[in-house]
Amino acid sequence: MMQLSDIRAGYAGREVLHGVSLAFRAGQVTALVGPNGGGKSTLLRCCARLLPYEGALLAAGRDARGCTPKEYARLAAYLPQSRPVPGLLAKTMVLHGRFAYLSYPRRYADADRAAVAAALEKTGAAALADKPMASLSGGERQRVYIAMALAQDTPILLLDEPTANLDIAHQLQLMRLARQLAAEGKTVVMVLHELNLALRFADRVALLENGAVRAEGAPDGIAGCGALEQVFGVCAQPVRDQNGETQYLFSQMERRGQEGGTH
């Protein structure tokens, strides 16, 4: 579990997050949604201790500020939106997820290699293990990076737009994997731009706008509370697919002319 209380943070003296308080529960997938610039990625960077913040942050019951970098790396794994492409094989990249458990000089044990193989298998990237990262497509690299986060074997996963560069089949595979990891007891927090994925697969959805939480709750509550209309200008209509799963159809609301406009 991760508990955030009155989190404030920003860049170059400009506050971006204005007192965010949220609870990310173990055994659940929480989706952070909202317009560009709303503070979603900034919040995740605070959760990963990559950005100074005011307020309180507890990770698996521990004060984040009281953890050493290695201790915290055993509590929370973070996948950023983008990163440079290294000159490494995919399996070597995934081995980096084991750094939190190794002393220097790093010597990998059978358990580390087994964790890498399992992570690559879970993300559907096992066939990429011996390929150079530079030779992979954007979607393939994304699956390898997700495997690296899984190999870190932490109770908390912080994933910033993990579906980016993935085709629809791999997006669905990833979201089902997130549900599987939550069922295993992990705390999964994901920044998502695809509202349908967030409402369909998450247990909880937090809607951020202008650095503040506009709404937080179960997907059906978020879809029906009017917050999506206010923030995005869209209506979400739940429908049942042929498998009995709930999905959402979105329609854009009509914009009324603003008062005081030019005549």
Side-chain angles (χ1 to χ4, degrees):
M1 180 173 178
M2 181 169 275
Q3 182 79 41
L4 289 68
S5 300
D6 196 27
I7 296 295
R8 298 177 181 272
Y11 306 94
R14 181 177 66 89
E15 187 174 275
V16 174
L17 299 176
H18 311 300
V20 173
S21 297
L22 287 169
F24 304 138
R25 298 175 176 86
Q28 291 189 349
V29 176
T30 302
L32 303 180
V33 303
N36 292 335
K40 305 180 297 298
S41 295
T42 299
L43 183 62
L44 217 61
R45 284 175 57 81
C46 290
C47 292
R49 288 204 332 180
L50 296 176
L51 191 66
Y53 60 87
E54 297 178 6
L57 172 60
L58 298 179
R62 297 189 60 181
D63 185 342
R65 289 192 177 95
C67 298
T68 67
K70 180 169 282 191
E71 287 172 340
Y72 202 72
R74 295 182 182 185
L75 295 177
Y78 169 66
L79 177 70
Q81 284 186 28
S82 60
R83 57 191 308 151
V85 180
L88 301 172
L89 296 180
K91 63 184 179 184
T92 305
M93 188 77 249
V94 180
L95 272 170
H96 286 196
R98 303 299 299 167
F99 282 2
Y101 304 94
L102 303 174
S103 57
Y104 192 83
R106 299 184 182 101
R107 291 188 172 89
Y108 300 110
D110 289 343
D112 299 311
R113 294 186 175 85
V116 167
L120 286 166
E121 188 67 35
K122 274 189 173 183
T123 58
L128 307 175
D130 293 307
K131 294 184 178 181
M133 291 293 290
S135 72
L136 303 181
S137 69
E140 289 171 334
R141 284 198 296 270
Q142 187 74 343
R143 282 186 278 151
V144 172
Y145 291 138
I146 294 167
M148 181 175 66
L150 295 186
Q152 200 167 325
D153 193 22
T154 57
I156 300 168
L157 283 168
L158 307 169
L159 309 177
D160 196 351
E161 296 190 47
T163 58
N165 298 316
L166 297 182
D167 59 40
I168 185 61
H170 285 108
Q171 286 183 17
L172 294 174
Q173 179 188 37
L174 172 63
M175 297 307 297
R176 292 190 178 100
L177 173 59
R179 300 256 5 117
Q180 176 186 336
L181 294 168
E184 294 170 3
K186 292 186 182 293
T187 300
V188 183
V189 186
M190 315 172 78
V191 171
L192 291 172
H193 273 293
E194 176 52 67
L195 284 176
N196 206 337
L197 291 179
L199 296 175
R200 178 178 175 186
F201 289 99
D203 297 288
R204 308 288 292 181
V205 176
L207 175 59
L208 275 71
E209 183 185 34
N210 296 326
V213 179
R214 288 290 302 270
E216 190 273 335
D220 56 352
I222 295 296
C225 73
L228 295 180
E229 289 92 327
Q230 295 172 14
V231 174
F232 289 107
V234 298
C235 295
Q237 178 66 39
V239 295
R240 292 280 185 176
D241 64 18
Q242 60 185 3
N243 297 317
E245 295 183 357
T246 300
Q247 298 196 47
Y248 291 84
L249 297 177
F250 296 95
S251 57
Q252 190 170 19
M253 298 177 63
E254 292 185 6
R255 300 282 188 177
R256 295 183 179 180
Q258 296 184 353
E259 294 182 4
T262 300
H263 296 283

